[in-house]
Amino acid sequence: MSLPPEKASELKQLIHQQLSKMDVHGRIREILAETIREELAPDQQHLSTEDLIKALRRRGIIDDVMKELNFVTDSVEQELPSSPKQPICFDRQSTLKKTNIDPTRRYLYLQVLGGKAFLEHLQEPEPLPGQVCSTFTLCLHYRNQRFRSKPVPCACEPDFHDGFLLEVHRESLGDGTRMADSTTMLSISDPIHMVLIKTDIFGETTLVASYFLEWRSVLGSENGVTSLTVELMGVGTESKVSVGILNIKLEMYPPLNQTLSQEVVNTQLALERQKTAEKERLFLVYAKQWWREYLQIRPSHNSRLVKIFAQDENGVNRPVCSYVKPLRAGRLLDTPRQAARFVNVLGYERAPVIGGGGKQEQWCTLLAFLCRNKGDCEDHANLLCSLLLGYGLEAFVCVGTKAKGVPHAWVMTCGTDGTITFWESLTGHRYIHKPTNPDEPPVAEQPKPLYPYRTIGCVFNHQMFLGNCQPSDAVETCVFDLNDESKWKPMSEEAIKSVCAPGATTSLPPFPPLCASTIDASVTSNEIEMQLRLLVSEHRKDLGLTTVWEDQLSYLLSPALASYEFERTTSISAGNEEFQDAIRRAVPDGHTFKGFPIHFVYRNARRAFATCLRSPFCEEIICCRGDQVRLAVRVRVFTYPESACAVWIMFACKYRSVL
């Protein structure tokens, strides 16, 4: 496709400006001088153009230039609501480039203009070009819109320079299509939730900070533009410690015709805080009264796990019912069991604690959990319960204990026929609950529970909270007739609604939508497989063994991996007969076949290989000795929303049996 002369000249000018801004010419001169010094032999008169291009590519200059050049097309693409949006780019004069915006709607343009005082990274060396280093990523959520910044190297002054175009009015929220004025926007109390994630060189993520930005100060600023300095606090036990500062600029687009006085904005915010504080105070008074009544039923209730409040990552106490809300996954997940599988493949990690002294209490907001891609059992249970409620099931989070009295949370659904099903959010397993009757004679056969749960203290969802007041809190004898107040003491639904219903208080974090996966399953599967082949070959070489790979045998392992994932999702086994038949045909008479499947929820090949070697069965295959040994490995990555994935690996070998 040829460009008209004026367009070509405009494009050349843009590229020239970008190259000048990056000081590419200066960097090229330095590298060429260095290359000539290092690589030009005394007997050689000149370096070819190809040699110089190779040197520039090796130092990462060409990659840097290509990354910086953003090409914008004239075609208008509709963005799916479930895809994470990239930062919208503006130039230095804050003039909109070509982007999909409606000039009749109201937008807030949020710019992050660098960070400072991230003192934990004070000694961090400057990363070399092309060197892998730890990075910071900023994730935002505002009124059903999600954004993610470009990763920047961790430093004392991280180089954040991103812009996010947030739509203040959205038709999906019933705002209509009219242009919102300052007064209308002042009544929109949704905060901008910002989550800072650190990713280390191995791909492990850490939650650094979670911050709710009150953006409405811009409505009282001159020209609808304001700059803020946001101090980010740590999480969990470090929620009172500053981790760093972000410089933020807010700007309304189109510009406001009429701004409010700062006094009006401050008064509105103060009234909202006052109203929220009063609602929370009244709920606390009610919760104390409810707890006193619960203890009067039976003094032993004091030792039961009845959890009415839980601390979030910022150390704020919130009613547990506010952590759950019906959540629809759009077209990203099709069935409740697929939703359970998705929650299961999100990583499990207990809240970090400094020193000993037991488990650190920390329930995460949904955005922090999804952005970090891992969390504790309560985070998994809250998300699974929310998804099951979205599918129209009557779902509750259960709080109780597992074996040895370890506190635990899982999910329960109540069928219309009275069937009680437990869902273990960390494994995806489902269990049907059949209560045993302690009053039955000893000879009567009692159903043996298959689930790992021992006691249960309370159940809750977004509308209900019920404390277990049966004589025993053992799960196996528990009757889940939640309407029977002699067995389950309910909290007032009105009281719960006053602090947990959407929009009830301004302190409630809004629930973000799920985002589609950004991982290419085929490419990632190939990459991990190639890395594993290399690791196996090196390991066998160290043992003095040669390695011969058989591609056809590797390919034949694919149906088995697909079958394993299908079984995890649906609890139905399928396709095993065809796999066994293919393997029998591929292994000649007198030969032995061995296979070892294993499952991971991360994509680090070296870490997976180290884990595999700890299994004696897998080590036997990888270190196989014998006549005509042929090795095979197959990797299959199954992607889920939020870039979560299930990674199945199968190692196999066939060899001639010599007796």
Side-chain angles (χ1 to χ4, degrees):
M1 185 184 73
S2 60
L3 283 172
E6 65 274 9
K7 285 278 184 189
S9 115
E10 185 187 340
L11 185 60
K12 282 179 185 172
Q13 193 177 350
L14 282 169
I15 293 173
H16 179 72
Q17 284 172 359
Q18 189 65 39
L19 295 177
S20 304
K21 190 171 83 173
M22 293 172 66
D23 190 27
V24 168
H25 300 101
R27 289 164 69 188
I28 288 174
R29 280 191 212 99
E30 286 173 22
I31 286 169
L32 293 186
E34 197 177 313
T35 307
I36 288 166
R37 277 200 309 275
E38 289 175 2
E39 297 184 14
L40 197 60
D43 58 335
Q44 213 175 334
Q45 294 305 307
H46 66 277
L47 282 169
S48 68
T49 310
E50 199 177 318
D51 292 333
L52 299 176
I53 293 284
K54 272 184 193 168
L56 293 176
R57 201 179 282 283
R58 199 166 58 240
R59 303 298 173 91
I61 296 289
I62 292 173
D63 288 343
D64 287 352
V65 171
M66 294 311 292
K67 275 181 200 164
E68 288 293 328
L69 292 173
N70 293 325
F71 297 100
V72 183
T73 62
D74 286 331
S75 63
V76 176
E77 294 177 10
Q78 277 298 104
E79 255 202 275
L80 291 170
S82 58
S83 62
K85 297 183 181 179
Q86 291 304 313
I88 300 289
C89 298
F90 283 65
D91 63 19
R92 289 186 185 277
Q93 281 70 43
S94 191
T95 310
L96 276 166
K97 287 184 182 176
K98 291 177 186 175
T99 187
N100 305 332
I101 72 156
D102 181 349
T104 65
R105 309 302 296 280
R106 194 66 82 180
Y107 295 88
L108 176 68
Y109 180 50
L110 184 152
Q111 286 174 282
V112 185
L113 303 172
K116 56 187 178 185
F118 284 80
L119 300 179
E120 194 177 322
H121 301 278
L122 193 59
Q123 305 299 324
E124 205 88 16
E126 187 79 19
L128 299 168
Q131 181 187 359
V132 178
C133 62
S134 299
T135 58
F136 281 139
T137 308
L138 195 61
C139 305
L140 273 71
H141 168 233
Y142 177 70
R143 304 199 92 201
N144 242 29
Q145 304 159 81
R146 285 181 60 184
F147 301 85
R148 181 183 284 266
S149 73
K150 294 192 286 284
V152 299
C154 293
C156 183
E157 295 187 357
D159 189 26
F160 286 112
H161 276 92
D162 274 317
F164 307 96
L165 193 66
L166 283 57
E167 194 176 329
V168 177
H169 252 201
R170 290 189 53 84
E171 287 178 47
S172 60
L173 296 171
D175 296 326
T177 53
R178 62 193 172 81
M179 176 76 85
D181 58 13
S182 303
T183 312
T184 307
M185 288 190 289
L186 187 59
S187 65
I188 299 173
S189 59
D190 303 67
I192 299 168
H193 191 182
M194 305 169 70
V195 167
L196 185 63
I197 300 291
K198 178 184 174 181
T199 308
D200 69 14
I201 56 173
F202 304 108
E204 289 296 308
T205 54
T206 312
L207 178 62
V208 178
S210 173
Y211 184 83
F212 294 94
L213 176 67
E214 178 48 74
W215 59 274
R216 286 174 288 176
S217 58
V218 73
L219 300 175
S221 305
E222 194 178 347
N223 304 323
V225 181
T226 187
S227 295
L228 306 169
T229 301
V230 169
E231 184 179 20
L232 300 178
M233 309 303 280
V235 294
T237 50
E238 298 173 34
S239 59
K240 301 287 185 285
V241 181
S242 173
V243 292
I245 291 168
L246 291 180
N247 295 320
I248 288 174
K249 183 180 177 186
L250 299 174
E251 183 176 349
M252 294 307 303
Y253 181 86
L256 295 170
N257 298 327
Q258 181 184 3
T259 56
L260 303 170
S261 75
Q262 199 63 52
E263 191 181 350
V264 169
V265 175
N266 293 342
T267 304
Q268 171 71 14
L269 300 182
L271 282 170
E272 286 177 6
R273 282 194 294 270
Q274 189 180 336
K275 190 177 170 186
T276 294
E278 181 61 14
K279 282 185 177 181
E280 289 174 347
R281 187 189 69 79
L282 289 173
F283 182 77
L284 181 59
V285 169
Y286 169 75
K288 284 181 176 177
Q289 176 63 27
W290 184 93
W291 177 244
R292 277 195 295 271
E293 291 170 4
Y294 182 70
L295 292 183
Q296 284 168 11
I297 298 170
R298 211 175 274 111
S300 61
H301 284 181
N302 196 31
S303 61
R304 294 191 181 182
L305 277 176
V306 179
K307 193 138 194 72
I308 303 170
F309 294 93
Q311 277 193 2
D312 67 10
E313 67 266 23
N314 291 326
V316 177
N317 268 315
R318 289 169 38 211
V320 290
C321 297
S322 68
Y323 289 89
V324 173
K325 176 194 162 187
L327 182 64
R328 284 162 49 172
R331 300 192 185 278
L332 300 179
L333 297 167
D334 296 320
T335 66
R337 294 192 189 191
Q338 198 179 10
R341 178 61 173 153
F342 156 58
V343 175
N344 154 223
V345 298
L346 289 169
Y348 169 64
E349 180 182 82
R350 289 175 62 167
V353 59
I354 300 170
K359 184 183 174 185
Q360 167 66 28
E361 172 79 2
Q362 181 182 305
W363 292 28
C364 277
T365 56
L366 183 55
L367 184 68
F369 176 39
L370 293 176
C371 293
R372 190 171 55 141
N373 246 221
K374 59 185 175 186
D376 213 331
C377 61
E378 293 88 358
D379 303 322
H380 286 79
N382 290 334
L383 175 56
L384 178 56
C385 183
S386 298
L387 288 165
L388 297 183
L389 287 167
Y391 281 111
L393 301 179
E394 188 181 7
F396 296 87
V397 175
C398 304
V399 179
T401 62
K402 292 195 297 186
K404 299 180 182 175
V406 176
H408 191 61
W410 66 98
V411 178
M412 169 183 85
T413 52
C414 307
T416 50
D417 59 354
T419 304
I420 300 297
T421 308
F422 293 148
W423 303 64
E424 177 47 64
S425 58
L426 295 179
T427 62
H429 292 158
R430 297 163 67 255
Y431 309 95
I432 303 296
H433 171 67
K434 291 177 182 170
T436 57
N437 188 348
D439 300 327
E440 287 277 340
V443 289
E445 193 177 339
Q446 299 277 13
K448 284 190 176 178
L450 299 171
Y451 44 77
Y453 319 121
R454 294 291 177 266
T455 66
I456 182 164
C458 64
V459 300
F460 67 88
N461 62 18
H462 62 304
Q463 294 173 328
M464 299 168 71
F465 182 95
L466 302 117
N468 182 4
C469 52
Q470 296 169 62
S472 167
D473 62 352
V475 179
E476 60 186 6
T477 61
C478 204
V479 176
F480 288 93
D481 180 2
L482 302 181
N483 296 317
D484 186 345
E485 294 194 14
S486 67
K487 294 182 170 62
W488 295 92
K489 179 172 171 58
M491 266 194 175
S492 157
E493 289 190 29
E494 283 302 312
I496 292 169
K497 195 186 288 186
S498 72
V499 287
C500 297
T505 66
T506 53
S507 62
L508 276 185
F511 267 51
L514 296 182
C515 286
S517 178
T518 56
I519 296 169
D520 186 318
S522 302
V523 171
T524 311
S525 300
N526 279 336
E527 285 175 355
I528 297 172
E529 196 171 301
M530 290 300 106
Q531 289 169 20
L532 286 174
R533 281 195 174 202
L534 198 62
L535 290 166
V536 170
S537 299
E538 285 175 357
H539 185 74
R540 287 177 62 83
K541 189 178 177 184
D542 292 343
L543 297 173
L545 300 170
T546 57
T547 307
V548 182
W549 295 101
E550 187 169 313
D551 290 342
Q552 175 62 11
L553 185 59
S554 295
Y555 180 70
L556 295 184
L557 304 178
S558 294
L561 301 183
S563 175
Y564 298 148
E565 183 61 21
F566 183 74
E567 189 174 351
R568 286 288 180 102
T569 308
T570 62
S571 305
I572 299 166
S573 179
N576 206 27
E577 301 82 359
E578 294 89 339
F579 167 65
Q580 290 181 1
D581 189 60
I583 293 298
R584 286 193 191 100
R585 289 174 176 278
V587 179
D589 288 343
H591 284 64
T592 300
F593 171 83
K594 289 180 182 178
F596 177 81
I598 191 166
H599 167 253
F600 298 100
V601 295
Y602 51 80
R603 305 189 301 279
N604 186 324
R606 194 171 287 276
R607 182 178 161 195
F609 183 65
T611 305
C612 291
L613 283 178
R614 287 201 286 273
S615 162
F617 300 108
C618 188
E619 193 196 18
E620 195 179 311
I621 291 170
I622 290 170
C623 307
C624 181
R625 297 169 182 266
D627 186 21
Q628 297 178 27
V629 175
R630 298 290 181 270
L631 292 172
V633 62
R634 192 65 171 172
V635 176
R636 180 73 167 85
V637 174
F638 296 88
T639 58
Y640 287 91
E642 299 296 330
S643 298
C645 59
V647 179
W648 283 97
I649 300 172
M650 193 169 189
F651 290 100
C653 68
K654 66 175 185 181
Y655 57 92
R656 189 171 184 174
S657 306
V658 181
L659 297 173

